[in-house]
Amino acid sequence: MNWEDNVRKVVPYVAGEQPQKNGIIKLNTNECPYPPSPLVESRIKELEYQNLRLYPEFPEKSKLYDTLVSYHGVGREQIFIGVGSDDVLSMAFLTFFNSDMPILFPDITYSFYDVWAEVYGIPYETKPLDDDFRIRKEDYLGANGGVIFPNPNAPTGVLMDIDEVEEIIRANQDVVVIVDEAYIDFGGTSALPLITKYDNLLIVRTFSKSRAMAGARIGYAIGNEKLIGYLNDVKYSVNSYTMNHMALELGVASMEDEAYFKEICGRIIATRERTERELTALGFTFPKSYGNFIFASHSSVQAGEIFEELKKCDIYVRFWNKPRIDNYLRITIGTDEQMDALFEALKKILAVRI
Ligand SMILES: *Cc1c(COP(=O)(O)O)cnc(C)c1O
């Protein structure tokens, strides 16, 4: 007998690289290329450092909570706040996926889902996307222990029609369905209005992408009071003080600047449309994306090779050496200047290979 026999062994999630070097064009982790709202900057200066002496307020007692309640027009007990949506999703897996039946999610999706299932010992089954990288709703209509998928999906950017989302929720009213809306602000239709109709639906959102606040770690879930109640019971059985005082304050400042939020989302959508045209001209194909990224494959040069060559030019994109997606690059939409640098680098890389 060795102490290692009783260790919980997991293969952890691998996030995109965060290079320490300056001057990198970072298009690999779907961060926003623009700064957070200027209101966030001024709020940082107003933060009272003395407050760090105290435990933070509980999320439900915070101004961020009230702000989210009124912003989304939901009831007082319908929101759960966590340390990024990763924390919210992890707590939701632990709370709601407690059946002997397998939970279902796509084979190509956010690569944290199978990690949480493994670490919590939740049985799961992945369902293959079709050849156009669409989620096949038929695969989610049978008996299961729960369903989770991002809409739009990651890393493909493909958006599922809201009627199909509803069909999946309707067919699964005996389990919890989680819709991960990390990228919903870039042009998709949210399933949020459906929470009044289905008490088994949990919507998860984040400040990391469309609010340019990945470093603040703010995510939240919206659902019916009962769902949120169960989520809080589990969360308060793990760690009471998840959200730090500063994140709670800065999140409010971001929510108070709706005009800026709309502006940066609009800019990213415009740059995404321009990127679609440029990439097409360079010989890339990709599914229509509703995220702040494009999942692209080149007609004649291997993705892995382009990935390495771009890295030499200090341009980082994301590449997975995994079945079905090993000839694709996930390219985050940066500023127009960053994308111009990408197009120039791609032209040079491709010119000597085709
Ligand atoms: C980025 C991302 C998340 C996690 O974001 P947080 O920074 O933890 O809020 C969750 N789901 C998907 C699909 C994502 O792409």
Side-chain angles (χ1 to χ4, degrees):
M1 185 73 179
N2 180 304
W3 62 265
E4 280 188 292
D5 297 339
N6 285 324
V7 168
R8 187 186 300 275
K9 296 182 191 76
V10 288
V11 182
Y13 170 75
V14 183
E17 234 178 303
Q18 293 293 14
Q20 294 307 313
K21 213 162 99 178
N22 287 331
I24 303 280
I25 297 184
K26 220 177 148 291
L27 308 175
N28 67 334
T29 50
N30 293 349
E31 288 145 335
C32 179
Y34 304 110
S37 154
L39 268 188
V40 174
E41 189 181 15
S42 51
R43 197 68 46 89
I44 288 173
K45 293 175 185 152
E46 291 161 14
L47 286 174
E48 282 286 345
Y49 92 103
Q50 278 284 356
N51 279 336
L52 289 180
R53 194 171 53 80
L54 307 172
Y55 278 107
E57 51 277 46
F58 292 120
E60 314 83 82
K61 305 279 182 210
S62 68
K63 187 164 177 213
L64 179 59
Y65 193 86
D66 299 336
T67 308
L68 285 167
V69 164
S70 66
Y71 184 88
H72 288 297
V74 295
R76 274 224 52 89
E77 279 161 8
Q78 293 193 280
I79 291 194
F80 175 89
I81 301 179
V83 187
S85 53
D86 284 344
D87 177 45
V88 176
L89 288 164
S90 156
M91 285 296 118
F93 268 60
L94 190 55
T95 310
F96 302 119
F97 296 159
N98 198 25
S99 153
D100 296 330
M101 298 278 288
I103 62 163
L104 308 180
F105 51 85
D107 64 337
I108 300 165
T109 193
Y110 188 39
S111 46
F112 225 137
Y113 298 160
D114 57 346
V115 175
W116 286 315
E118 293 281 350
V119 74
Y120 295 136
I122 300 163
Y124 67 97
E125 221 177 277
T126 60
K127 298 291 183 183
L129 298 181
D130 73 11
D131 292 339
D132 296 323
F133 288 148
R134 292 182 178 282
I135 291 175
R136 290 162 29 95
K137 67 159 199 285
E138 306 77 44
D139 291 340
Y140 298 83
L141 306 180
N144 62 67
V147 175
I148 175 156
F149 55 87
N151 198 38
N153 195 9
T156 61
V158 173
L159 183 77
M160 198 193 309
D161 194 82
I162 193 68
D163 295 331
E164 295 193 350
V165 173
E166 181 166 3
E167 224 176 303
I168 293 177
I169 301 162
R170 193 188 309 121
N172 285 289
Q173 292 182 65
D174 52 346
V175 295
V176 173
V177 177
I178 302 175
V179 183
D180 180 352
E181 294 193 336
Y183 301 104
I184 200 66
D185 299 317
F186 301 107
T189 305
S190 174
L192 186 58
L194 297 176
I195 58 164
T196 49
K197 211 162 152 189
Y198 302 98
D199 57 9
N200 63 318
L201 169 62
L202 191 77
I203 303 286
V204 178
R205 297 274 185 94
T206 177
F207 279 50
S208 297
K209 281 56 185 249
S210 55
R211 290 190 176 273
M213 290 182 75
R217 312 305 301 128
I218 308 170
Y220 59 103
I222 312 182
N224 120 326
E225 292 84 352
K226 241 179 166 175
L227 277 185
I228 298 298
Y230 283 125
L231 203 45
N232 270 317
D233 288 347
V234 170
K235 173 244 154 110
Y236 281 107
S237 308
V238 175
N239 181 0
S240 311
Y241 299 106
T242 48
M243 300 300 293
N244 73 73
H245 175 69
M246 293 161 290
L248 290 170
E249 292 284 324
L250 302 181
V252 175
S254 167
M255 302 288 300
E256 284 170 351
D257 198 349
E258 181 71 6
Y260 181 84
F261 167 67
K262 289 262 164 66
E263 185 196 323
I264 60 173
C265 290
R267 270 201 242 168
I268 286 164
I269 293 169
T271 306
R272 181 180 73 203
E273 286 166 359
R274 209 186 120 226
T275 302
E276 287 172 353
R277 295 192 290 276
E278 296 279 352
L279 289 179
T280 304
L282 288 167
F284 285 91
T285 53
F286 42 84
K288 166 89 192 125
S289 171
Y290 286 83
N292 63 341
F293 54 88
I294 291 181
F295 198 51
S297 182
H298 194 264
S299 52
S300 51
V301 185
Q302 285 294 312
E305 193 178 351
I306 302 174
F307 169 76
E308 293 298 341
E309 290 301 314
L310 282 174
K311 206 163 177 178
K312 289 181 197 158
C313 308
D314 282 345
I315 301 175
Y316 287 31
V317 298
R318 196 87 197 264
F319 168 70
W320 288 273
N321 200 357
K322 284 187 182 173
R324 289 189 79 188
I325 58 169
D326 60 1
N327 201 19
Y328 282 83
L329 298 171
R330 191 198 64 190
I331 305 168
T332 303
I333 303 299
T335 62
D336 279 311
E337 298 70 44
Q338 290 178 319
M339 299 319 277
D340 285 337
L342 170 77
F343 306 143
E344 281 314 305
L346 284 173
K347 270 173 210 158
K348 286 190 189 128
I349 293 165
L350 297 171
V352 294
R353 286 175 176 79
I354 49 181

